[in-house]
Amino acid sequence: MNLFFICFLLLFISSPSAADLLQFTSVTKEAGIHFKHHVDARGQRYFIEPLGGGAAFLDYNNDGFQDIYLVNGADLPPLPKGRLDADEPPRNALYCNNGEGMFTDVAGAAGVADTGYGMGCAVGDYDNDGFPDLYVTNFGANVFFRNNGDGTFTDVTTRTGTGDTRWGTSCAFVDYDNDGFLDLYVANYVKYTIESDQVCMNKGVRVYCDPRLYEGESDILYRNNGDGTFTDMTESAGFSGSTGRGLALAWGDYDDDGDMDVYIANDADQNFLYRNNGDGTFTDVSLTAGVGFSEDGEAENGMGVDFGDYDNDGRLDLIVTNFQGQTNTLYHNEGNGLFSDVSYASKIGTMSLPYLAWGVSFCDYDNDGYQDLFVANGHLDENVQAFNPTGFYEQPNLLFRNNQAGTFDEVGVDSGSGMRLEQVSRGFAYSDYDNDGDLDLLVTNLKGIPDLLENGGNQNGWLILKLIGTRSNRDAIGARVKVTTGNLTQIREVQSGSSYLSQNDMRLHFGLEKHRRVDRVGIRWPSGLQERLEGVEANQILTLVEAAIGSSW
């Protein structure tokens, strides 16, 4: 009996009945999304092939509905046989949400149909003009698109000075110095070129190489100068000393001191937790905090990461996804700068061992007031069973339902046809794209069409908050919100970039169980201003503007 079957049996025994669970349905084709991720796979097993690509939710035209940006791959030199230089190359896509469940690709007209070898993306209003801008990482020069506010974008890479040419992966906007302007952090992977690609074998079978064959790259931190340009602050901020193989990152105020810290998930290397010192510098505290290695002190293959408060104790916890045979590692924030590895105690560890995991996020999919976990899975090698009979190339994704007692049940198999799909998944992002109060899911698939999974039948209450900064950066990235309803208290932070190569809806979603009214909403803005509202009606999307609420926290 192999490990995969044992874990499936445990899942079946412990899962709630299907009648008790919400159902997810794939509506990709019905929604008009026809994008297909391109991989120039010609049997060479180039190291880059299995690692893309990301996705973002953003309301690029400010019509109140979240649109979708999808990052594509590209051909690798030399061109594949039969493809000519004049042929239309693969490109990224921007799907405009018409508000009625349909999307239209407007990337060409909007000016964001990048044809580089794309990896990830992030969204942030870097110039505070009220329209979200877009940054795209590539295997090659990254690209920065400024939103013109009229449905089009302008490539401002050269003007902003952000066209780093190393292998960029995940990225995120953040106001790390709380000066009101969004800065930008880009994780970089390894020093690699097609010419330096190595041949690797496993039991006589050609496979993708171990990342440890390639030297890691340092990341890059750009500080926003407030005039449309950025300055590389990597060295002076304290990030240049460590070179991991960065695949994912998440910003969050884990120590609740009012400034944003960052966690970097590295592939086959120590993960980093950089504490913001509040003076423009950072200190790596991963070892003292207990989040640099696995419970056994091993460096894991970090793929995806997110911050979230899954037990509603007011502190941000961490989830990191890893390779097959490793746990998806859940770190509980104990306070005082310390975390504990609760992967097995939470029941996530055992269930994650058979899978190779990538995108991940904390998200309250059933609106019960406790954040659940979604994990996107898929192997590297389509011939995995030739050298590992317990491995599977196409894999189901995992949906961990929060039991509200520190443990999770994996309920994906009973949560609708959309959760029973087996794909080679990579990126993941969530949004309430249809504005009905529950979170829908978007999963990107290597060499495939993405899965837009609609959440159906949720009867619990909810509240969605869109924050607009005035003294703070306009997106209010870094703002912390506390929502209290009876004995249920939740926190969320406005966040750009997380998961793997991807960007969630930046509006803050709170499930309210059966409550139809929120007792109190408290906001701590990045500027330091604290405000609150009382007696807020549930089941609405509410826009809150800094310094216009009127009551102090």
Side-chain angles (χ1 to χ4, degrees):
M1 185 180 296
N2 65 37
L3 183 59
F4 185 91
F5 181 78
I6 293 172
C7 291
F8 182 84
L9 184 61
L10 289 172
L11 178 158
F12 181 80
I13 293 171
S14 62
S15 294
S17 67
D20 297 329
L21 300 173
L22 296 175
Q23 303 294 292
F24 285 92
T25 304
S26 178
V27 295
T28 311
K29 293 181 180 179
E30 294 85 345
I33 297 173
H34 306 293
F35 173 90
K36 185 174 182 180
H37 181 255
H38 177 79
V39 174
D40 184 13
R42 287 170 271 159
Q44 300 300 312
R45 292 291 195 279
Y46 289 128
F47 184 64
I48 188 175
E49 291 176 5
L51 296 181
F57 280 106
L58 73 162
D59 184 5
Y60 84 96
N61 54 3
N62 283 349
D63 66 352
F65 290 92
Q66 293 287 304
D67 312 297
I68 293 172
Y69 191 76
L70 294 163
V71 180
N72 212 344
D75 290 327
L76 297 170
L79 289 174
K81 186 177 181 179
R83 180 181 288 277
L84 302 175
D85 288 313
D87 289 346
E88 181 178 351
R91 60 180 181 82
N92 298 348
L94 174 63
Y95 279 93
C96 179
N97 185 342
N98 72 356
E100 298 178 352
M102 291 293 296
F103 292 80
T104 302
D105 185 3
V106 297
V112 291
D114 189 46
T115 57
Y117 200 112
M119 295 297 294
C121 57
V123 177
D125 184 2
Y126 82 98
D127 52 2
N128 290 332
D129 67 350
F131 291 90
D133 309 299
L134 181 66
Y135 191 80
V136 180
T137 58
N138 287 315
F139 174 60
N142 301 330
V143 183
F144 203 146
F145 294 108
R146 179 185 180 271
N147 192 327
N148 299 319
D150 60 1
T152 69
F153 292 74
T154 297
D155 184 340
V156 293
T157 311
T158 300
R159 168 167 167 69
T160 57
T162 56
D164 191 41
T165 58
R166 290 172 293 177
W167 185 350
T169 54
S170 294
C171 56
F173 289 94
V174 66
D175 185 5
Y176 77 90
D177 51 3
N178 286 343
D179 66 350
F181 292 95
L182 288 180
D183 313 299
L184 176 65
Y185 191 99
V186 182
N188 289 312
Y189 192 37
V190 298
K191 300 180 188 297
Y192 171 82
T193 64
I194 298 301
E195 293 73 24
S196 69
D197 191 81
Q198 302 190 44
V199 175
C200 296
M201 309 293 290
N202 189 337
K203 297 183 178 180
V205 178
R206 180 81 180 269
V207 297
Y208 292 109
C209 289
D210 188 301
R212 286 169 289 195
L213 291 178
Y214 300 98
E215 182 183 351
E217 282 277 21
S218 63
D219 299 338
I220 188 165
L221 173 67
Y222 295 105
R223 183 182 183 273
N224 190 331
N225 299 320
D227 60 359
T229 67
F230 289 74
T231 299
D232 181 351
M233 303 296 289
T234 311
E235 184 173 356
S236 61
F239 289 108
S240 61
S242 301
T243 54
R245 301 174 187 89
L247 283 178
L249 65 100
W251 286 88
D253 186 5
Y254 83 93
D255 52 3
D256 195 17
D257 65 351
D259 48 37
M260 297 292 278
D261 315 292
V262 64
Y263 187 85
I264 313 297
N266 293 311
D267 192 5
D269 208 341
Q270 174 189 339
N271 296 330
F272 304 138
L273 175 61
Y274 287 102
R275 185 188 66 214
N276 192 328
N277 298 322
D279 60 1
T281 68
F282 292 77
T283 300
D284 180 12
V285 297
S286 52
L287 296 182
T288 56
V291 294
F293 298 97
S294 72
E295 189 176 39
D296 300 323
E298 298 292 332
E300 297 181 301
N301 297 89
M303 307 290 193
V305 63
D306 196 22
F307 277 109
D309 180 15
Y310 74 89
D311 56 353
N312 288 342
D313 66 354
R315 296 187 293 264
L316 292 180
D317 310 300
L318 266 170
I319 181 69
V320 186
T321 57
N322 291 297
F323 206 83
Q324 178 185 347
Q326 301 170 352
T327 65
N328 290 333
T329 305
L330 180 63
Y331 295 106
H332 180 261
N333 190 336
E334 304 292 344
N336 299 317
L338 302 176
F339 290 78
S340 58
D341 185 337
V342 296
S343 307
Y344 286 107
S346 66
K347 298 167 54 177
I348 287 175
T350 301
M351 280 306 307
S352 60
L353 290 173
Y355 304 98
L356 202 166
W358 302 82
V360 63
S361 282
F362 290 99
C363 54
D364 184 5
Y365 83 94
D366 54 2
N367 285 0
D368 67 351
Y370 284 80
Q371 289 188 303
D372 313 292
L373 279 166
F374 180 92
V375 180
N377 298 314
H379 211 281
L380 295 175
D381 296 282
E382 70 273 15
N383 58 347
V384 58
Q385 290 200 314
F387 59 87
N388 181 1
T390 66
F392 295 84
Y393 184 53
E394 297 173 331
Q395 300 180 359
N397 299 318
L398 300 178
L399 181 62
F400 290 101
R401 185 188 189 191
N402 193 328
N403 291 327
Q404 306 179 16
T407 62
F408 294 79
D409 283 330
E410 206 296 307
V411 298
V413 70
D414 291 322
S415 297
S417 58
M419 284 301 305
R420 290 191 288 271
L421 298 171
E422 295 188 5
Q423 307 271 27
V424 188
S425 297
R426 292 294 185 261
F428 164 67
Y430 65 74
S431 169
D432 181 11
Y433 81 89
D434 49 6
N435 288 344
D436 65 352
D438 50 33
L439 293 178
D440 310 296
L441 315 177
L442 176 67
V443 186
T444 68
N445 298 309
L446 191 76
K447 297 186 286 188
I449 296 170
D451 293 313
L452 179 62
L453 305 181
E454 184 179 13
N455 189 338
N458 199 332
Q459 300 301 311
N460 282 333
W462 54 275
L463 179 67
I464 293 177
L465 301 178
K466 178 180 179 180
L467 272 58
I468 297 178
T470 53
R471 304 175 187 176
S472 306
N473 68 84
R474 197 180 190 284
D475 283 332
I477 291 171
R480 176 174 288 205
V481 177
K482 179 187 291 186
V483 167
T484 302
T485 305
N487 61 359
L488 179 64
T489 299
Q490 308 171 61
I491 65 165
R492 302 281 190 275
E493 288 185 349
V494 182
Q495 182 187 50
S496 166
S498 63
S499 185
Y500 172 69
L501 309 177
S502 299
Q503 165 84 52
N504 296 318
D505 185 342
M506 276 196 286
R507 300 176 301 177
L508 300 181
H509 170 270
F510 296 86
L512 301 177
E513 202 191 22
K514 300 303 179 184
H515 299 283
R516 293 296 179 259
R517 189 176 179 85
V518 171
D519 297 331
R520 185 168 56 259
V521 176
I523 307 170
R524 186 184 69 198
W525 300 89
S527 67
L529 177 66
Q530 299 187 35
E531 297 183 282
R532 71 177 182 185
L533 297 85
E534 295 185 353
V536 178
E537 294 297 321
N539 301 339
Q540 64 169 317
I541 299 173
L542 186 61
T543 298
L544 301 177
V545 179
E546 184 179 15
I549 297 172
S551 298
S552 61
W553 187 344

